[in-house]
Every structure is written in structure tokens, then in C-alpha cells.
Amino acid sequence: MKSRADVVIVGGGISGAAIAYNLAKKGVKHIVVLEKSYQGSGSTGRCGAGIRQQWGTEMNCRLSKLSNEYFEKAKEELEYHGDLEFKQGGYLILASTDSELELFRRNVRLQNKLGIRSQLISNEEAKEIVPFLVTDEIVGATYHEKDGHLNPFTTLDAFVRAAKRMGVTYLTHTEVTKINVQKGRVVGVETTAGNIATDTVVNAAGGYSKVVADLAGVAIPTYSERHQILVTTPINPILKPMVMSFSKNIYTQQVPHGSIIMGRSDASEPRDLNNRSSWQFLDEMAKTVTSLLPPLERVRVVRAWAGQYNLTPDKQPILGEVPDVKGFYLAVGFSGHGFMFAPATGILLSEMILKEKLTIDVSALGLNRFSKGELIIEPSVV
Ligand SMILES: Cc1cc2nc3c(=O)[nH]c(=O)nc-3n(C[C@H](O)[C@H](O)[C@H](O)COP(=O)(O)OP(=O)(O)OC[C@H]3O[C@@H](n4cnc5c(N)ncnc54)[C@H](O)[C@@H]3O)c2cc1C
């Protein structure tokens, strides 16, 4: 293992890989990504990999728009020979109450102002997109046809391979055990395979973001929560968009090879690193999804699993250098949207580290927003 690096990235998920790729593309020579387990073992390999631009805060709209534009050309940009399974079938987001519909009306106004061509639609229009949708408890919806889905494993693989081609060292089964800080600046990391001297470390550790920040003596307000998801056997194409409901806490989509992937949140989930799936999830997921989409009663579940949402108090990520520790950067707290934001994360963190002008001004996403009480709550999350 190298004993010195220009940048060490802790975490080999989609965020760490996208940051490494962007830095290497800009000519940074000695970049090491350290992954304590296998490639994709964190939330990236466990996620739904949906991508949407229908958000309720300007920041999230901008991050997702930049990322979506990137995904549209990712296969060429990353020179990937595999299949990213990129599908733009749209997201159909259902409103269950008048107040939710009012929120959606404001969201669509904001999205349209930022160039995202989402629309507020009636139940009848929603049924034109998904004819078997049960609308008894629905009062309207929003739809954006450019939203969609990718395969999280091949997308991660594309970033990792492109980064490696440009000289990035990507080490699996190598855990960072300490981040050394002297006189308020990073000087190196200790790992299970030896030490690396560096003046720049990025915490891209997903569900373990708090644990990794602690290794540098930095307290951050992130926490992790289990989220569960399942996949069915493949069936003929019946579902074009991702169907999502915030009030019912569910999302479901059909991927290109025909399987249906669906997940739901549980408000009673404790804050911990539990990754086991439960019978209760299967039961509640099945009841909720079939009440909205009855034909799904007939599909068979082949696998269920769980992963971590790494959350912040305002459900927006923390991006940027830690004010008191020079050279220590955070790319954490992505909640249920770190996959879809990864292209933007990669671009922005590389710009921060290289002290370049930011493509999007994300200074409001710094760690000090919490101590200043400057939270901007994202209302539209599952
Ligand atoms: C069920 C579920 C569904 C989701 N659906 C979506 C979705 O549809 N769309 C979307 O955009 N997002 C979704 N997400 C969220 C998304 O998965 C995450 O936000 C995203 O994958 C975060 O990527 P990451 O690279 O930051 O973290 P991870 O992919 O978690 O990578 C972090 C890595 O750091 C490693 N690590 C931790 N500690 C150390 C250490 N000390 N040393 C070395 N390595 C370490 C871990 O092993 C891990 O592999 C979902 C998440 C879950 C759980």
C-alpha cells in the first residue's frame, strides 16, 4: 500500500468513487479509496437506485438536475462497456391529502422555475400513465418523465473502473481505524493494512459517517436508520414510472429486466446500524403496495434486504470541509438520495478540494449550518 497520498477517501461506495473519479480526471495523481468491505457493500449496493428531480428545496432540485444530466451521458463519459440499465420511465408521486397536494403545487412551481419540467396532474391523468392505479385515497399527483432508475452495481462499477484507469488506487477490505490530526489539520490515516500520510481526507463512509468523523475527533449530527426493500421475479412490462407516496411511505418500480423493486420507510425504526430484514416489512409492504397497485398481488418475492439511510436533521447532505479541521471533508448524510446525487457529489467535492469555483453554491450544506441553526428542511422524502 502507498505510504503517502494526495487524497485519501474513506468509503468505496458511489460517493467515494465519484469523488475519486472527478479528482483523477482533473489531474490529481495519488488518490487512494479505502473500502472496509467489498465494492458495493454499503448502501450503494442495497439501494433502489431511483433518480428523481422532483424535490421541495431549491438545493436538492439543483443537485438532482445536475446529476440527472450526468447520468444521461454517464455510459459514454465513463467509457463503460457494461449495462447501466438506465431507464427514464418517470416518477409518479401521489398526493393523499389536500395539504400534500398544495405542497406538491409549490414543489412543481419551484421545479419548473429551475428548468425541471414536472407537472401537477389529476387522478385521471395518473391513470393514463398507470391504468391499474387505485385512486380512491389519492387526490392528485406529480409526474416528471425524465426521472428514472439505474443499476446501482454497474453504475458504481463504472465509476470505479474509470477512476482506476486514471490511476486511482481502490482498496477493498481495508478499514480506516484512525484519522490523524495535528494542529487543526489532517496529517494521515491509519488502516488495517498500514498508514498513509496525507493532508486531505474525505469521509464518504455512508452509514458509518459518524463513526469515521469520530476517528478524527469531529462530532457530526448524522445518524443511521435501517431501510428495507425487496425484489420480485421478472414479469412482462406493466409499470413505466416509479410510483411513490410520501404519506404511505412507499416506492415501487419495474426495472428493465422485468423485476419489481419496492421499499418503504418505517417511522418507528431505531437509530442504529441494523442491516437485517424483517417479516413485518414484507407484510406491511405487501399490504400497502397492493392497495395501490392490485396486479402486484400476483408477483412473487425473490429476495428482501436492508441497508442504511444516513440522515441529517434537515434530510439534506453535509458537503464540505470541517471548519476546525483543515483538509477533512465530509460527503455524508445523503438520506435516501445519495445514489442519485453522486454525480453532483463527485463534481462538487473535487471542486472544493481543488479550491475551484463551485458548479452549484452548496455553502449552505456545510457542517456549521447545524450550530448556526440554519436548517432547510426537505419535505419530500420517503
Ligand atoms: C433500501 C434503500 C433504498 C435506497 N434507495 C435509493 C434510491 O432509490 N435513490 C437514491 O439516490 N438513494 C437511495 N438510497 C440511499 C443511497 O443508497 C445512499 O444515499 C448512497 O448509496 C450513499 O452512497 P455512499 O457512497 O455515500 O455510501 P455507501 O454506499 O454506504 O458507501 C460507504 C462505504 O464506506 C465503507 N466504510 C465505512 N466505514 C469505513 C472505514 N472505517 N474504512 C473504510 N471503509 C469504510 C462502507 O463499508 C461502505 O461501503 C437508498 C438506501 C437504502 C438503504
Side-chain angles (χ1 to χ4, degrees):
M1 190 169 72
K2 285 177 192 244
S3 59
R4 169 163 289 283
D6 294 327
V7 181
V8 170
I9 297 169
V10 189
I14 193 89
S15 306
I19 296 165
Y21 166 75
N22 278 277
L23 285 168
K25 195 176 149 195
K26 290 176 179 173
V28 179
K29 287 279 173 271
H30 303 287
I31 303 165
V32 179
V33 181
L34 299 170
E35 167 52 54
K36 72 174 178 162
S37 184
Y38 57 90
Q39 179 177 319
S41 56
S43 301
T44 301
R46 298 162 183 272
C47 78
I51 59 166
R52 67 170 153 123
Q53 297 177 61
Q54 300 183 67
W55 291 98
T57 63
E58 179 164 343
M59 186 68 84
N60 282 348
C61 287
R62 288 190 190 282
L63 291 170
S64 60
K65 184 164 187 286
L66 175 64
S67 295
N68 207 78
E69 286 161 3
Y70 189 92
F71 281 129
E72 286 177 348
K73 55 179 177 40
K75 190 170 160 64
E76 293 71 40
E77 161 88 20
L78 299 172
E79 296 177 33
Y80 191 60
H81 299 300
D83 188 356
L84 298 180
E85 296 177 29
F86 182 47
K87 169 185 167 188
Q88 281 177 306
Y91 261 52
L92 181 66
I93 307 185
L94 309 173
S96 297
T97 61
D98 290 339
S99 60
E100 198 174 20
L101 195 61
E102 191 44 45
L103 170 70
F104 285 11
R105 187 168 285 122
R106 286 200 300 275
N107 287 356
V108 166
R109 223 177 283 137
L110 170 73
Q111 291 154 12
N112 290 172
K113 195 182 88 186
L114 298 170
I116 299 164
R117 301 168 73 125
S118 53
Q119 327 157 42
L120 195 69
I121 59 173
S122 65
N123 283 356
E124 291 67 38
E125 288 167 312
K127 280 175 89 77
E128 281 169 26
I129 301 167
V130 181
F132 49 86
L133 178 72
V134 174
T135 51
D136 299 354
E137 294 177 15
I138 304 300
V139 296
T142 62
Y143 181 64
H144 181 237
E145 64 182 6
K146 293 264 186 171
D147 293 343
H149 174 262
L150 292 100
N151 178 318
F153 295 101
T154 54
T155 308
L156 172 60
D157 193 46
F159 275 109
V160 171
R161 282 175 190 267
K164 282 183 179 170
R165 275 199 305 276
M166 287 187 293
V168 170
T169 304
Y170 181 97
L171 296 177
T172 55
H173 300 97
T174 309
E175 181 170 355
V176 174
T177 52
K178 184 136 196 343
I179 298 169
N180 292 319
V181 177
Q182 282 172 11
K183 296 187 183 146
R185 69 164 309 132
V186 161
V187 294
V189 298
E190 297 177 19
T191 84
T192 46
N195 298 350
I196 307 176
T198 184
D199 58 13
T200 306
V201 171
V202 182
N203 177 351
Y208 293 83
S209 66
K210 196 177 181 59
V211 179
V212 168
D214 277 350
L215 298 178
V218 173
I220 60 172
T222 54
Y223 57 95
S224 290
E225 224 178 67
R226 173 177 68 170
H227 277 254
Q228 301 193 60
I229 182 165
L230 66 80
V231 63
T232 72
T233 48
I235 56 170
N236 288 333
I238 57 163
L239 195 57
K240 181 171 166 264
M242 166 84 92
V243 176
M244 183 176 243
S245 161
F246 302 128
S247 44
K248 294 185 187 297
N249 275 326
I250 64 156
Y251 58 88
T252 181
Q253 69 193 331
Q254 187 166 26
V255 299
H257 64 76
S259 291
I260 311 239
I261 291 182
M262 60 187 84
R264 74 184 295 276
S265 312
D266 181 347
S268 65
E269 198 63 59
R271 296 178 178 189
D272 59 24
L273 292 163
N274 179 6
N275 259 349
R276 282 191 302 266
S277 45
S278 69
W279 284 112
Q280 187 196 352
F281 160 72
L282 287 177
D283 188 43
E284 287 168 358
M285 183 80 241
K287 278 187 197 135
T288 319
V289 83
T290 55
S291 71
L292 278 175
L293 305 167
L296 299 191
E297 270 171 15
R298 296 193 296 274
V299 291
R300 287 165 186 253
V301 174
V302 284
R303 191 164 73 87
W305 67 97
Q308 301 295 320
Y309 272 21
N310 189 239
L311 293 142
T312 62
D314 59 5
K315 310 290 189 291
Q316 300 204 78
I318 309 176
L319 300 178
E321 193 173 23
V322 173
D324 298 335
V325 183
K326 268 199 120 19
F328 188 37
Y329 290 83
L330 303 172
V332 300
F334 290 103
S335 185
H337 32 281
F339 177 83
M340 69 180 84
F341 283 4
T345 302
I347 292 167
L348 291 163
L349 263 289
S350 71
E351 291 168 347
M352 287 174 187
I353 292 167
L354 298 175
K355 312 288 179 227
E356 295 172 350
K357 184 174 177 327
L358 299 184
T359 303
I360 298 173
D361 178 5
V362 286
S363 46
L365 295 182
L367 177 61
N368 56 7
R369 75 180 187 269
F370 302 101
S371 55
K372 289 186 186 160
E374 291 173 355
L375 308 195
I376 316 162
I377 309 277
E378 169 57 63
S380 299
V381 286
V382 169

